[in-house]
Amino acid sequence: SSFPINFFLSFQRIPSHYLSSNKHDNKFIMTRISPSSVLSLLFLAPFSFTHLIQRTHSFSPHSSSPLTIPSHALFHPIQSSTRRVILSPTLGKATCHPRLPLRRRFQFVASMAMRANGSNQEEKIPGRGKGKAEKIKIAVIGGGAAGLASARACLRANQLLSQSSKLQNNDDERDDDENDMLEVTIFESRRSFGGIWRYDDASDEGKRMKTKDRPMYRNLRTNLPKELMAFREFPWILDDNDFGDVVNKGGDTGSGHKSPPPPPSYVTHRQVADYLDKYAKHFGIEKYVRFGCRVTQLTVLTEDENKKVEEMTTAVDEKKEGSNHGEMQSTPSFYSCWPSISLEWTTVTYEHVNGNDPTPRMQTHRETFHHALICNGHYSLPSFPPIPGLRNFSGRILHAIEYDDPLDFKGQTVVCIGARASGADIAKEIGGVAAEVFLSDSGCERWEEFGTKGENVVKRVPRTSWIDDEGGVHFSSSASSGEDDDGSTQKKQEWVVKNVDTLIFCSGYDYDFPFINEKSNLELSFPPGERRVQPLYEQLWHAQYPSVSFIGLPHSVVPFPLFELQANAVVSQLLLQSSSLSSSSLTEKETEGLIESQVVPLPSLQERMEKARLDATSGGPESPGRVQDTHFLGSHQWDYCLKMAKIGGVYDESMEKYIATNKALYDRSGKERKQILPGEKDKYRETRFQRDDENRTYRIIYSEMEEEKATVS
């Protein structure tokens, strides 16, 4: 193929180990600057260096050693009989990764060569202003912690591109909003962000709907310390007035005065919501949120529809000053093989007619985006495991999502079905006022009682097996053999509790995406009861269409840091995809500042689909696995976080230390939590931590549990 600068490419096979660890990537590009001089450019495996070739090299494809590039050649252009050409074999400066398909490398090298020779072709691309990068429109569905982290990842990328452009162009004045490459919009169905942590919204809406649709309840405190929960780039600092929500411990300074109390590590839901407010305000995220917008339909555009989008995308714009809802506008094309996404959403406005009460008016809107990050959480659709005979129960039945105040159960006999975090906390809280509380745990094999009679009595019992005709609740052990603690042979046992007033299902939630259906042109399976979403690559990208990603699906994790890493990985891959398939969508200077680390590109469609199939049938990381544990991580989350950091190009020693410190905090807080019996005081929540990332550990400022141990000893 001929290019304006007399730039030629030819292809030739060479042994794959010269190129990268990818055995399928066994081609290289030979560039010929002029008929008399030949430059053989070998795309080496990624590592931290950026060298440019200073002189013409000859290279034999049958050579026993790879092409070497002299270190003194850094930033020196090639001098030839034609114009100068600047090439770089590494991703950091040239975005040309050895694992990228050969066609993408071809496009990038050609574009770089044309720029170096003064070609103005990039200014002639339809839909672009002179020297401006085409915008990539990103929809974030959900304004909770995952949605905020996703928006922040987009804004962070814009800042990096802007800073690079300013430094290299000596441009101190730049309209960031106008020139931002990533145009992000957050769709939040409610009137405030914060998701499940917005307790006030949940209680207010519950009053109107006669029910509660968020798992947050009145007295909830986190079961993870804030030093572990916080986003990496935004430390969690409590104000003085925040200390009143929890018990604080002060130490004696030796002069008879109490030292200021250390800040609590386990915080209330109000403090979490306040932290998210501060996070959004600090990074300027609020202006990108469209409140009161409920997404009703997500559709992946077909090949023909994408061709139309390439020419002109019709969109319904946000209501602005001087424009009306429903006005159609055109948006520039997006040079990517990832299909675009059409979103539909509804808004409700209220009109006053003839002085009467306001009448609600629903409007439907539609807009096309290049990528959709789904951040709607997985705590909205309650899961109810089947219990034979449930219809025989005449008392009150509710799910933990509806629980709010323990006083509602004063003097009652209550059974909590499910003994994980929410079940254990709710049983303990109700136990202070109820007559009896039974915590039904599928991992329990005997009847156990805890606490002090008359104060906080909770009985832990085996799984709830069935309900008889008279409404009696039966609990059954699963053991039919083996030995008890006293050496006697275990047999399957069953207990029954009669006159139960309330059943509370603390049985978790199913994944739910109400805007994905048979019209979505998207193969996605998430049957109720399975707690499995497929096909997904790395529990994040849709394996077939990576332009749809799901933030925060893994459970039994530290959520906020995981959201941050996942969102960064998605944005990095989106930028890499854009710059690789259409290097003209980024200016040369923006390309150089795009990604400082070595981003690992997503594999081929075939590899993604196969990995998704294996993940969906694995039953999770533990053995033997269950379908319901497909997205369980637990102690495996640290390897996953490191993988996300590498995919997102942010892996380095400081990230390694950060994740190691998170692991240390998680293990310590989990160990203390497990030492607390269901009927005991939550002493573990009085421990105060301080991070020590440099040494990959933490420091305990105060621990009630440690003080008790010292007193006993």
Side-chain angles (χ1 to χ4, degrees), residues 4 9 27 61 98 110 183 235 253 276 293 298 308 329 376 389 400 498 587 637 673 684:
L9 296 176
K27 295 181 180 180
E183 184 179 288
T253 62
L276 293 176
C293 296
L298 179 150
K308 294 179 182 178
Q329 69 169 19
N376 67 327
K498 298 183 178 181
T587 66
Q637 64 183 295
R673 185 171 62 252
Y684 80 91

Side-chain angles (χ1 to χ4, degrees), residues 10-204:
S10 62
F11 306 97
Q12 184 173 350
R13 287 188 175 274
I14 64 171
S16 61
H17 64 270
Y18 291 147
L19 295 169
S20 71
S21 59
N22 187 348
K23 64 181 180 180
H24 301 294
D25 193 0
N26 58 357
K27 295 181 180 180
F28 80 111
I29 295 179
M30 181 176 68
T31 65
R32 188 167 63 198
I33 303 302
S34 68
S36 60
S37 62
V38 176
L39 169 67
S40 298
L41 179 61
L42 177 66
F43 288 107
L44 305 173
F47 54 91
S48 297
F49 83 101
T50 304
H51 293 320
L52 300 179
I53 302 174
Q54 185 178 27
R55 62 181 185 276
T56 300
H57 291 268
S58 296
F59 176 72
S60 168
H62 304 292
S63 171
S64 60
S65 60
L67 176 68
T68 58
I69 302 174
S71 59
H72 62 270
L74 184 64
F75 295 124
H76 286 268
I78 301 169
Q79 300 297 332
S80 70
S81 58
T82 61
R83 296 174 182 265
R84 66 189 183 95
V85 179
I86 301 178
L87 296 173
S88 169
T90 60
L91 177 64
K93 290 293 181 182
T95 348
C96 204
H97 195 281
R99 288 182 58 192
L100 289 177
L102 191 60
R103 177 172 58 88
R104 300 189 195 176
R105 291 190 241 160
F106 172 92
Q107 291 174 330
F108 180 80
V109 173
S111 174
M112 290 289 287
M114 283 187 282
R115 292 174 187 160
N117 281 267
S119 170
N120 292 325
Q121 181 170 340
E122 68 168 355
E123 296 178 4
K124 300 177 184 178
I125 295 175
R128 293 186 57 205
K130 181 177 180 180
K132 290 185 179 180
E134 160 191 354
K135 289 184 180 295
I136 300 175
K137 297 180 64 177
I138 299 177
V140 176
I141 303 175
L148 295 177
S150 298
R152 170 57 187 153
C154 296
L155 300 181
R156 187 190 305 114
N158 284 335
Q159 290 173 349
L160 291 174
L161 290 170
S162 174
Q163 291 168 3
S164 175
S165 178
K166 288 179 181 179
L167 288 173
Q168 299 187 53
N169 290 319
N170 294 320
D171 183 10
D172 292 331
E173 295 185 5
R174 188 174 188 263
D175 188 339
D176 289 334
D177 284 343
E178 180 182 346
N179 292 279
D180 283 348
M181 182 178 179
L182 302 181
E183 184 179 288
V184 61
T185 303
I186 304 175
F187 293 92
E188 170 53 47
S189 62
R190 301 178 188 272
R191 297 295 174 181
S192 59
F193 44 68
I196 62 171
W197 297 102
R198 190 63 61 183
Y199 169 77
D200 293 335
D201 284 358
S203 57
D204 290 345

Side-chain angles (χ1 to χ4, degrees), residues 221 226-227 246-249 261-266 684-690 699-703:
R221 284 176 65 186
K226 71 180 190 304
E227 292 79 10
V246 295
V247 178
N248 287 278
K249 306 294 181 180
S265 287
Y266 296 88
Y684 80 91
R685 284 191 167 104
E686 302 309 323
T687 302
R688 271 70 161 158
F689 294 97
Q690 186 177 71
R699 189 166 67 91
I700 293 180
I701 302 174
Y702 171 82
S703 172

Side-chain angles (χ1 to χ4, degrees), residues 512-651:
D512 186 36
F513 311 101
F515 40 81
I516 296 178
N517 48 47
E518 64 278 359
K519 300 178 182 179
S520 295
N521 190 32
L522 183 73
E523 180 187 346
L524 192 74
S525 171
F526 48 98
E530 279 194 4
R531 300 183 190 174
R532 173 176 62 179
V533 183
Q534 59 175 324
L536 297 182
Y537 178 71
E538 295 296 353
Q539 302 197 43
L540 180 54
W541 290 275
H542 189 274
Q544 183 178 4
Y545 298 128
S547 47
V548 178
S549 55
F550 300 80
I551 305 296
L553 289 190
H555 65 86
S556 301
V557 298
V558 183
F560 294 5
L562 185 133
F563 299 161
E564 205 170 25
L565 287 168
Q566 284 187 319
N568 182 77
V570 168
V571 171
S572 295
Q573 291 298 323
L574 184 60
L575 289 172
L576 181 61
Q577 176 76 2
S578 172
S579 63
S580 299
L581 286 183
S582 178
S583 54
S584 58
S585 68
L586 291 175
T587 66
E588 179 181 355
K589 296 181 184 299
E590 287 173 327
T591 300
E592 291 178 359
L594 179 60
I595 304 171
E596 296 300 329
S597 301
Q598 302 296 332
V599 176
V600 179
L602 297 184
S604 66
L605 170 62
Q606 182 179 356
E607 291 177 273
R608 295 197 306 268
M609 293 299 289
E610 177 62 16
K611 178 68 163 55
R613 185 190 67 80
L614 292 174
D615 285 349
T617 57
S618 67
E622 302 286 351
S623 182
R626 303 185 309 155
V627 168
Q628 294 86 346
D629 292 329
T630 298
H631 301 296
F632 167 83
L633 285 181
S635 62
H636 302 271
Q637 64 183 295
W638 318 116
D639 289 338
Y640 181 83
C641 287
L642 289 171
K643 183 183 292 185
M644 288 295 105
K646 292 175 182 177
I647 292 176
V650 294
Y651 177 79

Side-chain angles (χ1 to χ4, degrees), residues 230-481:
F231 293 114
R232 187 188 183 198
E233 64 174 346
F234 194 67
W236 202 318
I237 301 174
L238 294 179
D239 297 331
D240 290 341
N241 57 4
D242 287 327
F243 286 24
D245 285 351
V246 295
V247 178
N248 287 278
K249 306 294 181 180
D252 196 327
T253 62
S255 59
H257 299 287
K258 287 283 186 179
S259 63
S265 287
Y266 296 88
V267 293
T268 67
H269 56 75
R270 292 182 179 86
Q271 290 169 321
V272 178
D274 182 63
Y275 171 78
L276 293 176
D277 285 342
K278 292 175 180 176
Y279 177 82
K281 183 176 181 180
H282 179 80
F283 293 114
I285 298 174
E286 301 115 309
K287 65 179 181 179
Y288 301 98
V289 184
R290 296 185 187 179
F291 294 111
C293 296
R294 183 177 298 277
V295 175
T296 56
Q297 182 67 47
L298 179 150
T299 305
V300 176
L301 299 188
T302 64
E303 184 176 351
D304 290 340
E305 290 170 329
N306 270 287
K307 288 179 181 178
K308 294 179 182 178
V309 172
E310 288 287 337
E311 300 171 358
M312 185 76 68
T313 300
T314 56
V316 178
D317 191 27
E318 176 185 8
K319 186 175 182 180
K320 299 178 181 178
E321 185 178 353
S323 65
N324 298 319
H325 268 301
E327 182 178 347
M328 307 305 290
Q329 69 169 19
S330 63
T331 58
S333 63
F334 178 60
Y335 294 88
S336 171
C337 69
W338 293 7
S340 296
I341 309 298
S342 173
L343 285 189
E344 294 182 19
W345 69 94
T346 60
T347 58
V348 177
T349 57
Y350 293 87
E351 297 180 350
H352 292 267
V353 181
N354 299 326
N356 296 325
D357 292 338
T359 302
R361 176 173 172 262
M362 181 175 292
Q363 294 177 287
T364 301
H365 314 267
R366 182 183 296 107
E367 190 169 348
T368 301
F369 296 86
H370 302 118
H371 195 103
L373 287 90
I374 298 175
C375 308
N376 67 327
H378 48 84
Y379 294 103
S380 61
L381 183 62
S383 176
F384 290 89
I387 297 179
L390 184 61
R391 64 179 178 274
N392 298 326
F393 184 75
S394 59
R396 183 185 180 192
I397 300 175
L398 68 154
H399 191 275
I401 196 172
E402 302 172 71
Y403 172 78
D404 186 48
D405 190 346
L407 293 178
D408 293 341
F409 306 91
K410 185 175 182 179
Q412 294 187 11
T413 298
V414 180
V415 173
C416 294
I417 302 173
R420 301 193 73 171
S422 62
D425 283 348
I426 290 173
K428 184 179 302 182
E429 191 167 281
I430 292 176
V433 297
E436 287 185 293
V437 178
F438 299 89
L439 181 61
S440 179
D441 183 355
S442 60
C444 178
E445 295 295 340
R446 68 188 71 186
W447 181 292
E448 300 174 334
E449 296 188 21
F450 309 97
T452 304
K453 188 172 182 60
E455 293 182 1
N456 195 343
V457 178
V458 177
K459 301 176 178 67
R460 184 160 65 189
V461 295
R463 66 181 180 87
T464 304
S465 53
W466 64 293
I467 298 176
D468 60 37
D469 294 341
E470 297 179 356
V473 182
H474 292 249
F475 310 102
S476 302
S477 66
S478 59
S480 58
S481 61

